[in-house]
Amino acid sequence: MSQRWTLLLLGLLAPSFSFASQSFENTAIVRTVELGGSLVHVTTTYAVKALEAGSSVYTIALEQQQKERTSWAEAKIKGQSNALELQDLGYDEESNTYLYDVHLPKALGTDASINLVFETVETHATYAWPPTARQEDEQKLKYNTSLFIISPYHTAVQRTKFKAPSNRVVAWSTPENLDAFTLENPVTKSGATITYGPYSNISPSANAAFIGAYQSTIGIHYFYDYPVLAISEYKRAAEISHWGANLNIEDEIHLRNAGPKLKGQFSRLAHQTQSFYQKSSPHVLSSMNLHLPAGISNAYFLDLNGNVSTSHLRSTPSVARNAKAPHYSLFEMKPRYPIMGGWNYSFTLGWDSPLADSGSWDAKAQKYVVAVPVMTLFPSTVIDNAELKIVLPEGATDVDVITPFPASVAAISNHVTYLDTTGRPTLNFYYKTLTDKHNQVVYVTYKVPFSAHLKKPLAVATAFMGLFTLALAGRRVNLSLHRKL
Amino acid sequence: MPVAYPLPKDLSPATVANTASLLRIVALALISGAAIASRLFAVVNFESIIHEFDPWFNYRATKVLAEKGFYEFWNWFDPTAWYPLGRVVGGTIYPGLMATSGVIYSFLHAINLPVDIRNICVMLAPGFSALTAWATYMFTKELKDESAGLLAAAFMGIVPGYISRSVAGSYDNEAIAIFLLMFTFYAWIKALKQGSAFFGTVAAVFYFYMVAAWGGYAFITNMIPLHSLVLILMGRYTNRLYVAYSSWYAIGTLSSMQVPFVGFQPVSTSEHMGALGVFGLLQIIAFSQLIHSHLPSKQFKTVVLGSVISIGLLGTAAIVTLTVRGSIAPWTGRFYSMWDTGYAKKYIPIIASVSEHQPTAWPSFFMDLQFLIFLFPAGVVYCFKQLRDEHLFVIIYAVVASYFAGVMVRLMLTLTPIVCVTAAVALSELLDTYIDPQEPDASAEVADVAAPSDNASAATPSKKVKKAAAAASAAPSNPISDLVNANAPAKTKKASKSRGIFGLDTRIAVIFNTTMMLLFFVAHCTWVTSSAYSSPSVVLASTNPDGSQHIIDDFREAYYWLRQNTAEDAVVMSWWDYGYQIAGMADRPTLVDNNTWNNTHIATVGKAMSSSEEVAYPILRKHDVDYILIIFGGLIGYSGDDINKFLWMVRIAQGVWPDEIQEPNYFTPQGDYRIDDQASQAMKDSLMYKMSYYRFSDLFGGQQATDRVRNQAVPKVGPTLDYIEEAYTSENWIVRIYAVKKEDPLGRDLKSANAFAEGKKRKRTKPMTRRRAII
């Protein structure tokens, strides 16, 4: 299985020399940037017209900064829900950009047009400015990006919309020297939306010449009323137990408030005053609600000092697999202390859930199938490093996985725990920068022979038998030198 | 032969013996279960957590042992304790407790049971309490019989005096030490009874374990020699005593010297000299007896006797000389404080400041022992009536432990086992008498006036039967005891009694009464355990208006904040009570902790806390203090806070700097200890006062602020701080942490820098010198 990953990785890294010819024209590009905290969702809609018949591969270009920020990308045809095949070509030296190839479902004829939606999630794209804030201060973030949406094709018209979380925007930059592209105001603000453009008649821009001549950086400085959260380490261990009909999930989470650093010191008085008047600072995390699966039991919320007694779990019973309404248990998490800017809080969250909720028996393949979610969704939070460990039952064979997206490293190991004799096969996946879009499910299929189920009771029975035999013998052996009369 | 109630006649002795044996095993198993279960209140009401203060250190040390192995642990130097001095942990602790948990941990992991080390530490004390119950059973069995043993085990299992030190989570040395104490004593009695070198060695091995586990081992070190000495003085010297004592002392002492913390103390301190002296005395006596048996001449005997006595005197003189010259360390302060309760307060205030070192209040005897305390003398009287060697041991133990328990609350723990033993003996004797179905022979009464009394008959061949009968008496229901007593009339016929109990009514009255006492005892134990002894003290609990439990978790909150959000090498200063907790939960270096070995260092902290900011600041900076942590209960009424401990800080500081810190300065002129407007100036200026009440009155929004612990009004204008700043305050304000400011970058003192920042102009004391015009 690990071999497959290697192949896939090799495929990703292999340099591609195919460069798109002028087979398309962009009739319009609209980029919508939803400004947020640690996550910024960018949706770019390309209205594409084919210039040649049989054009089926459309190339999208990103600049280095965008590429580094992007941790999730997906291309679709507007109005359809199925994602198109997206091939990451990596760095292109000729144009000094990073390219993606979108494979269209069927080739376009000449002058045929199509609307492509390219959706990305950028992480760590914003930063707090000013970088420190007092406890009572508001939180202001800055987001910088480049003005033009670059593309290897000619673009008739393009515009960029920034959607701020509220109407209050501190400042935004006004680009200059745009007479070649527009004669009107280069930037307009209406409500919470700031629009750059429309800019028309842009020659193919994914090349060093255009970027050097026209590209510039624009920045938005805006108020953000929620804490900016980042999880630097996220370790999930999922343990499948057939004896207990149980899927145990334990998350070790190292949470950090990535907003402005606290200036001065924390004042409990000020915090209590604020919460008394119900206007707590936007950059302070005092509690958060998480959605855990339905039907869970024995949930625990611990940190290194033991149980955190301030939280509540409102669990709901398990639901049928294809039920319409999404049911979940609500976990009202309240850390031991309010997490101010720059503060850390590491904790462990775990629960048991019935194996029947996520696993089943595939009669056709004669295998068990278990669905393990990659992570618990922390709303608008980036996970920098994640590790997913799936512990299968002792003696599981023919292990196969279906992953929603590739891991940076995948490995298989052996894990020996509770009264095991040979240990349990364990799948390890390591991920970088996960976002809310990565909240998906890994499917594991495996076989467990009947004899493997019997290992544990046999081992325990043998141990006790040995103990009793020893005691039996010990009682009957007389080691004394003098026979008692 | 009349019997009070009918007994089955067709039972073979083997059946009776087997049933009795099975019942004993079942009873012991149930007692173990009760002992463990009653200690779990803390886990059920709160969680599996380490309690109080010292256990946090033991837990931390155990983690080091479990993670890094024994050699790392042995050589562990902890640079974070007693900053900047550090502490050689391996050589300054009793490692028995950690080693025990470490062995259990390794064993469980070896059989693939990955139990968390914390859970092992939490459950160690309850587990060992079951063993203690068993050891008490063995011990009492030697004194009387199995039924008394079972009673003693049951008492020991649930008596609050022992539970107070061994609830789940109370991971302290006492948790295993009481088992070791009882088992060593059992082995000693057994060795003495049989003259067995084997049991002497067993006693020595457990003595070694005890030495490795608890500083209280000195109790054994002196109890056994004292017992031997009394036996010798009573003319009860036997070869059995010689064998038992010599094997125990030689092996026990040599092995105890292997513990680094003990080292050469067994041959160089006064506490251990008694054991050595008795050892010498025994050798002399044994030698003289040997000579005695070989020499018939009377004169020669006199000579030998004379020389033996002179050798003894010489030996004693040598010990005295060595003590005077200093080769043998004199008695320590802790020892003196045993005999003079006022000693510690005068000379070692650190010892006196600990609440468990206070003399015991009499209600706590009843609280901890309930009805056992008035059965206790009866049991001792029983021992006097028997007065075999082991009964002497119990009498001596009872007298000594009673005294110590009166001196210090903490030593109630050593009294508890012997109270359980003697009370069980007394109660079992009572039950024996009243359950015994035989009625006295009224006609034979006159004839058998000279017949052996009931007590003497215990040593007769009928003992075995009585044992069986007595064993059954521990079982609650009567049919079983009927069954077990089946063959009693047949065998005890020859010892027809002249004294005894007539009729069933008297029997039922007494037995009913006793049963009720036992029931109330159980109820009392359960109540005391659940209400008084099962609080982890790290987590506090209160009750919501709707009856649900409300957890006050400020300590862990603040410690966790320290752990997560301060630099890893940030030094935290606090009063020594919290040193171990900070090291355990916050993982930060501390200046002082509960291992109170350096009085000056503690006094330094006391001085910093009790002097003004200007005086304290250089001390803080010199010790690299980054944060100061104090406990303040004024908001929610937590009475164990630092303001209530403050006078001890002052006293301890005064002991080292009598010129700078004076206790009377902290009282009002009327001699009251106040924190309101009338508080003395020294009190108001002290760092502790300022840190406790900083911005406290602001919380009340203009209303009168009240300190709920001391029930005093807090001044409206609170103290201001210049050299330190508030860094963190927990939810209920119990823990307040202050950061020590760095020196002003412009070289001003922080007070004027603060004043400048607030826009106040400094008043110039001297007019500025005018610049002269240049001509």
Side-chain angles (χ1 to χ4, degrees), chain A residues 460-472:
Chain A
V460 174
T462 316
F464 271 99
M465 189 69 196
L467 210 65
F468 289 146
T469 318
L470 274 181
L472 201 72

Side-chain angles (χ1 to χ4, degrees), chain B residues 656-733:
Chain B
V656 178
W657 290 280
D659 302 336
E660 296 170 60
I661 307 286
Q662 275 111 24
E663 190 182 340
N665 294 346
Y666 294 85
F667 291 104
T668 58
Q670 289 79 36
D672 293 337
Y673 182 61
R674 302 193 73 90
I675 52 97
D676 54 9
D677 288 315
Q678 299 168 37
S680 68
Q681 197 55 42
M683 182 77 189
K684 279 183 173 170
D685 284 345
S686 69
L687 201 61
M688 175 55 73
Y689 179 88
K690 283 186 160 187
M691 289 192 293
S692 292
Y693 294 104
Y694 180 67
R695 299 195 71 182
F696 179 64
S697 52
D698 297 358
L699 187 64
F700 291 78
Q703 298 190 328
Q704 181 61 59
T706 314
D707 182 318
R708 289 201 194 152
V709 173
R710 287 152 284 268
N711 280 323
Q712 295 174 22
V714 176
K716 272 225 164 93
V717 182
T720 55
L721 294 169
D722 288 315
Y723 294 86
I724 57 177
E725 55 186 347
E726 186 187 1
Y728 188 81
T729 298
S730 64
E731 194 180 353
N732 299 298
W733 290 51

Side-chain angles (χ1 to χ4, degrees), chain A residues 21 35 37 49 65 81 87 134 162 230 319 326 341 456-457 480 483:
Chain A
S21 59
L35 296 173
K49 189 172 82 180
Q65 189 196 36
S81 59
Q87 193 183 359
R134 272 178 216 289
F162 291 95
V319 286
K456 194 163 296 187
S480 63
R483 189 171 292 277

Side-chain angles (χ1 to χ4, degrees), chain B residues 184 202-211 217 220-221 248 252-253 256:
Chain B
T184 313
V202 170
V205 168
F206 275 85
Y207 172 69
F208 162 65
Y209 194 1
M210 176 79 174
V211 173
Y217 74 89
I220 303 184
T221 321
W248 167 74
T253 306
S256 72

Side-chain angles (χ1 to χ4, degrees), chain B residues 54-214:
Chain B
D54 285 13
W56 274 100
F57 170 75
N58 299 330
Y59 172 51
R60 183 161 159 254
T62 311
K63 274 202 290 191
V64 171
L65 175 64
E67 281 162 16
K68 298 188 181 163
F70 200 75
Y71 284 96
E72 276 291 313
F73 172 69
W74 210 235
N75 299 320
W76 182 26
F77 176 79
D78 183 7
T80 63
W82 295 90
Y83 185 88
L85 304 169
R87 175 183 175 189
V88 186
V89 177
T92 56
I93 52 161
Y94 294 102
L97 183 72
M98 298 93 188
T100 308
S101 318
V103 167
I104 296 175
Y105 178 81
S106 315
F107 172 73
L108 289 180
H109 279 246
I111 61 167
N112 288 335
L113 274 176
V115 181
D116 187 25
I117 185 74
R118 190 194 69 232
N119 287 328
I120 292 173
C121 294
V122 166
M123 294 307 293
L124 192 76
F128 265 83
S129 73
L131 288 177
T132 311
W134 173 71
T136 313
Y137 164 77
M138 300 297 275
F139 182 84
T140 317
K141 204 176 78 175
E142 296 301 316
L143 288 180
K144 190 168 172 287
D145 50 27
E146 281 93 343
S147 63
L150 283 175
L151 268 180
F155 291 158
M156 196 63 201
I158 58 171
V159 71
Y162 177 39
I163 285 189
S164 65
R165 296 263 153 196
S166 64
V167 291
S170 173
Y171 181 57
D172 212 345
N173 294 333
E174 288 95 329
I176 62 171
I178 296 302
F179 161 66
L180 299 174
L181 184 82
M182 284 320 280
F183 202 83
T184 313
F185 285 158
Y186 160 70
W188 160 249
I189 283 181
K190 195 89 180 166
L192 186 63
K193 260 183 160 179
Q194 301 186 347
S196 146
F198 171 71
F199 272 102
T201 312
V202 170
V205 168
F206 275 85
Y207 172 69
F208 162 65
Y209 194 1
M210 176 79 174
V211 173
W214 192 36

Side-chain angles (χ1 to χ4, degrees), chain B residues 457-745:
Chain B
S457 71
T460 63
S462 73
K463 196 178 161 195
K464 219 173 195 174
V465 185
K466 287 204 59 169
K467 265 185 198 170
S473 69
S477 68
N478 264 339
I480 297 172
S481 65
D482 287 356
L483 214 64
V484 179
N485 279 327
N487 59 348
K491 279 207 172 176
T492 45
K493 230 169 224 172
K494 57 183 169 184
S496 74
K497 297 192 290 183
S498 59
R499 276 187 275 171
I501 315 297
F502 287 101
L504 210 56
D505 45 356
T506 28
R507 286 187 167 82
I508 289 175
V510 171
I511 291 169
F512 176 76
N513 209 342
T514 315
T515 316
M516 289 315 285
M517 281 209 299
L518 288 171
L519 281 177
F520 282 121
F521 176 65
V522 171
H524 172 84
C525 290
T526 316
W527 175 74
V528 169
T529 307
S530 66
S531 62
Y533 292 138
S534 293
S535 166
S537 87
V538 176
V539 185
L540 310 170
S542 67
T543 317
N544 286 334
D546 62 352
S548 62
Q549 194 186 37
H550 177 68
I551 301 269
I552 297 168
D553 216 350
D554 281 37
F555 291 99
R556 287 194 292 176
E557 176 195 334
Y559 293 142
Y560 205 59
W561 176 81
L562 271 177
R563 184 178 195 134
Q564 296 267 313
N565 296 307
T566 59
E568 219 158 277
D569 55 353
V571 178
V572 181
M573 180 176 99
S574 72
W575 190 233
W576 61 262
D577 296 23
Y578 311 103
Y580 279 164
Q581 288 188 350
I582 293 172
M585 284 189 262
D587 197 21
R588 292 290 173 270
T590 53
L591 284 195
V592 293
D593 63 32
N594 309 44
N595 173 256
T596 51
W597 66 276
N598 189 331
N599 187 32
T600 319
H601 218 52
I602 293 180
T604 309
V605 173
K607 187 187 174 191
M609 295 286 197
S610 45
S611 25
S612 66
E613 270 190 276
E614 290 83 3
V615 179
Y617 188 67
I619 302 176
L620 300 177
R621 293 296 294 150
K622 275 178 194 158
H623 287 85
D624 294 345
V625 175
D626 295 296
Y627 294 96
I628 311 172
L629 181 145
I630 60 156
I631 307 296
F632 172 67
L635 182 63
I636 60 157
Y638 172 65
S639 60
D641 68 351
D642 276 351
I643 289 284
N644 276 2
K645 291 175 185 169
F646 187 42
L647 283 179
W648 285 110
M649 303 182 201
V650 172
R651 276 175 207 149
I652 290 167
Q654 185 183 9
V656 178
W657 290 280
D659 302 336
E660 296 170 60
I661 307 286
Q662 275 111 24
E663 190 182 340
N665 294 346
Y666 294 85
F667 291 104
T668 58
Q670 289 79 36
D672 293 337
Y673 182 61
R674 302 193 73 90
I675 52 97
D676 54 9
D677 288 315
Q678 299 168 37
S680 68
Q681 197 55 42
M683 182 77 189
K684 279 183 173 170
D685 284 345
S686 69
L687 201 61
M688 175 55 73
Y689 179 88
K690 283 186 160 187
M691 289 192 293
S692 292
Y693 294 104
Y694 180 67
R695 299 195 71 182
F696 179 64
S697 52
D698 297 358
L699 187 64
F700 291 78
Q703 298 190 328
Q704 181 61 59
T706 314
D707 182 318
R708 289 201 194 152
V709 173
R710 287 152 284 268
N711 280 323
Q712 295 174 22
V714 176
K716 272 225 164 93
V717 182
T720 55
L721 294 169
D722 288 315
Y723 294 86
I724 57 177
E725 55 186 347
E726 186 187 1
Y728 188 81
T729 298
S730 64
E731 194 180 353
N732 299 298
W733 290 51
I734 290 183
V735 184
R736 306 198 69 179
I737 300 172
Y738 288 83
V740 179
K741 285 187 189 169
K742 299 277 176 286
E743 274 88 0
D744 186 55

Side-chain angles (χ1 to χ4, degrees), chain B residues 222-280:
Chain B
N222 289 301
M223 262 307 294
I224 292 180
L226 189 61
H227 182 214
S228 310
L229 189 67
V230 170
L231 286 178
I232 294 168
L233 291 180
M234 287 176 74
R236 290 189 175 201
Y237 171 81
T238 54
N239 286 335
R240 286 180 287 121
L241 174 66
Y242 179 77
V243 171
Y245 190 86
S246 300
S247 52
W248 167 74
Y249 182 75
I251 299 173
T253 306
L254 283 176
S255 54
S256 72
M257 286 161 77
Q258 310 306 312
V259 179
F261 192 33
V262 176
F264 280 92
Q265 280 183 28
V267 290
S268 66
T269 59
S270 299
E271 277 89 347
H272 300 80
M273 278 306 122
L276 182 60
V278 170
F279 182 64

Side-chain angles (χ1 to χ4, degrees), chain A residues 233-261:
Chain A
E233 290 288 337
Y234 186 103
K235 283 186 190 166
R236 159 163 291 195
E239 198 170 308
I240 300 166
S241 160
H242 281 215
W243 271 106
N246 187 34
L247 172 68
N248 170 267
I249 289 192
E250 181 169 302
D251 293 345
E252 271 178 53
I253 296 161
H254 190 95
L255 185 69
R256 189 166 54 84
N257 186 334
K261 283 210 163 55

